[in-house]
Structures are given as C-alpha cells and as structure tokens.
Amino acid sequence: MDISTNISPIKWNDDNNEIVWLDNSRIPSEEVYNSTKSIERLITAIKTLEIRGAPILGEAGAYGTAMIVNNSQNSKEDIIKNLSNFGNLLATARPTAVNLSWGVAQIKDMVENSLQEGLSPSEVKNLAITNAKRIQKENINSTIQIGKHGKKFIKDGDVLVTVCNAGTLACDGIGTATAPMRTAFAEGINFEVLVTYTAPLYQGARLTAWELHKDGIPIHVITDNMAGHLMREKKATSIFAGADRILCNTTNPDEVGTVYNKIGTFNLALIAKQLSTNSNEVKLHVAAPISTIDKVSKVSDVKIEERNPKEVEYLFNGTKITPDGVSVFNPAFDRTPPELVSSIITEKGVAEFPYTNSLTKLLD
Ligand code: MRU
C-alpha cells in the first residue's frame, strides 16, 4: 500500500506556518504542491478543487481555522473577530460536504473555550495547530479502520465499481471507498475495479485511476454511461462509494442513512438494485468517517452544490461542446435514499440497512 505512505494530500509546514497541499486539479499530468498563509487563497483552492473530498475538506477546515488564529494579532479580541469573519467564509466555501464546517467548528470551539478559560493568545495559537494535526492523524487512522471493517465485503473474483475519488487524495490515509479495496488487495484477494469517469471533472478517470494503478490494483476506467451495461456483462458484485454527508437526524427516521455523494452515485445504486436477484444482491457500500455523519440536517436542509456551467459546456482541453445559448445543469452531488444503501462502513464499525438503530449505535 504504497500510496498511503508516499502521499500527503495536505499538511501544515511548521517552518513557514503555512498550509501545503497536493493540487488535485492537475493530477495526473502534474504532481504539484501549492502552499499558502492566506485564508483567501485557501478558500480559492477549495472552490477550484485543488483541495477536495469530504475528509480532506475536514482537515483543510481545521488547518485553515488554525491559520486564521495564527495570522491574528496576539489579542483575544482579534482572534475572536477573525474566527467569526473568516471562519464562516471558510466553512461555507463548499456547501455539501459536512466535514468542512465540522473541521472549522472543531478548532473554532476549542480556541474560543481556551480563551474563555484564560489561556494566552500565543498558547491558543499553538494549541490550534496541535489540534488540527491531531484531527489529521485521527482521520488517517479512521481510513485504516474503515479498511479493516470493509474488507469482508470483498471476495476473490469480485468485480467492484467505484465513483469519483474517495481515495487518499480525497480522504488521506488509504482513502474511504478505496480502504476496503487496498486492505483486501494487501491480503492477497484478487478482484478488479470498474472506475467510472465521473464527468464533468473526471475525478474517477484522473484521480482514482492514478491512485489504484500506482497500487497495482487491476482497474478498468469506464465512462459513466457504460455502467449499466458493464455491471451486467461483467457480473459486478458491489459498488464502493464515499460520502460527502450522511443523514442521521433521528427525528426523521425515514431519512436516516440518506447518502449525499458525487453525482452519479444514485444512478449506480439504481443499476445495482435492478441487477440484484433474490439470491444475489449487488450491493452499494458507502465508506466514510463518523465526521461525515450529520445528526442535525434533514433532506430539506441540505444544499446540493451547483457548479459552474462551463464544467459541462467545455471539455478539459477547452473545446466548447454545447451550442451557444443552450442551458445546462451542473449539480455536483446527488442523494441516494437509505433503502438503496446496503451498508455504511465507518471507523467505528459497519451499519447495515435499516439505519435508524444501526447507524445511531455507531455514534454513541
Ligand atoms: O466535487 P469533489 O471532487 O469534491 O467530490 C467530492 C468527492 O470526493 C466525492 O463525492 C467522494 O465520493 C466522497 S468524499 C471522499
């Protein structure tokens, strides 16, 4: 499992007090690390998908908030003012992945409480960095646990499907959707993976293919519209997807286990259902850390990010493919209802449908 030790998608550079990240928008053609001390630049990097993927957004939220604190003057008032102004801008830079606002809140709450308890601004600055590093470490450990819990779903000869990139680049460590694959592969299990393009930004073709190919895992990249045909022809056994948000608000029990993930996940879930028979279910496994679980929101609260129409209108090489004046839609995520999700694999264990009890138990 080369990738987990070789790549650090985001980190804090102590020498320069800055955030460093691997620019996801340029992979696979170039492996470029960018860095900044500026919160505005960090927010741009998040909006333009140089930094992306729910768990990494959690880490970026934590490091970004620590950076806001460290960029402040050595005064309680300045820290609190900057946390309120810039913290909010950072937390809302992308709306669907709950981890971003979670990461911001983790550091913001800790800093405000510490100042309240009388710690000095310079003590709090150090504490903010230490805690952001702790969050990253815990996140990496979570991916290892997700791998251990999820590997039981992969058997010799399986044909798996995955969508977008829920690997190291998006999640750190060994990824989330990729964690069971990597763990099973390291134990000698033979399987192959259909990696869906994931138009319009091709995170599957560019990023997941790059990661899994480096690991030596047998993969085939397919366009999104090949999924139904190929899953039937190749007898796909299961889909492994990540998640940007999983609902667990028990006042709405029917919504518990609702999964928001990259656009196309719902299509794959429907294909899996159609291809399932009584004796052979094609399963959708969703892998995500507990920080992706949202105990507060209802379906009606969740905003699905609508991205720039240019992503649909133009190919990657800059060629315009839609006629001038034609309207396009570009939702970045979709919602898969709980009954189409066979299991939710977290660092604390696996919840299986129905989720009202199984998922809440993992949060205790
Ligand atoms: O728009 P992106 O690239 O930030 O998409 C987010 C994702 O990486 C996916 O939805 C992923 O499957 C879940 S987050 C690891």
Side-chain angles (χ1 to χ4, degrees), residues 98-154:
V98 72
N99 310 55
L100 179 58
S101 53
W102 173 89
V104 171
Q106 294 292 304
I107 303 299
K108 186 169 180 279
D109 294 351
M110 184 279 301
V111 165
E112 287 171 351
N113 291 339
S114 304
L115 288 170
Q116 198 66 33
E117 285 163 14
L119 266 71
S120 71
S122 50
E123 284 172 318
V124 163
K125 287 182 177 184
N126 284 332
L127 212 56
I129 303 294
T130 314
N131 271 280
K133 287 181 182 169
R134 174 189 52 79
I135 285 171
Q136 176 164 33
K137 216 170 164 192
E138 287 174 1
N139 211 16
I140 293 171
N141 286 337
S142 296
T143 67
I144 308 290
Q145 294 311 315
I146 288 172
K148 287 184 183 155
H149 293 304
K151 72 173 185 201
K152 67 176 177 192
F153 295 122
I154 304 177

Side-chain angles (χ1 to χ4, degrees), residues 2-3 6-7 31 208-217:
D2 250 9
I3 197 124
N6 283 349
I7 291 177
E31 291 174 36
T208 302
W210 182 76
E211 290 194 23
L212 295 185
H213 184 63
K214 267 178 189 277
D215 282 3
I217 295 177

Side-chain angles (χ1 to χ4, degrees), residues 215-230:
D215 282 3
I217 295 177
I219 59 166
H220 309 272
V221 174
I222 65 170
T223 65
D224 302 312
N225 51 358
M226 292 172 188
H229 171 72
L230 285 173

Side-chain angles (χ1 to χ4, degrees), residues 1-2 31 40 51 220 260 278 292 297 352 358:
M1 279 192 281
D2 250 9
E31 291 174 36
E40 287 87 356
I51 301 171
H220 309 272
Y260 291 84
N278 285 344
T292 304
S297 305
E352 303 209 27
S358 63

Side-chain angles (χ1 to χ4, degrees), residues 49 52-55 94 164-166 170-171 203 242-244 261-262 333:
L49 273 62
R52 49 155 291 287
R94 293 196 67 194
C164 195
N165 169 257
C171 315
Q203 291 93 330
D244 296 88
N261 192 48
K262 177 53 61 187
F333 302 97

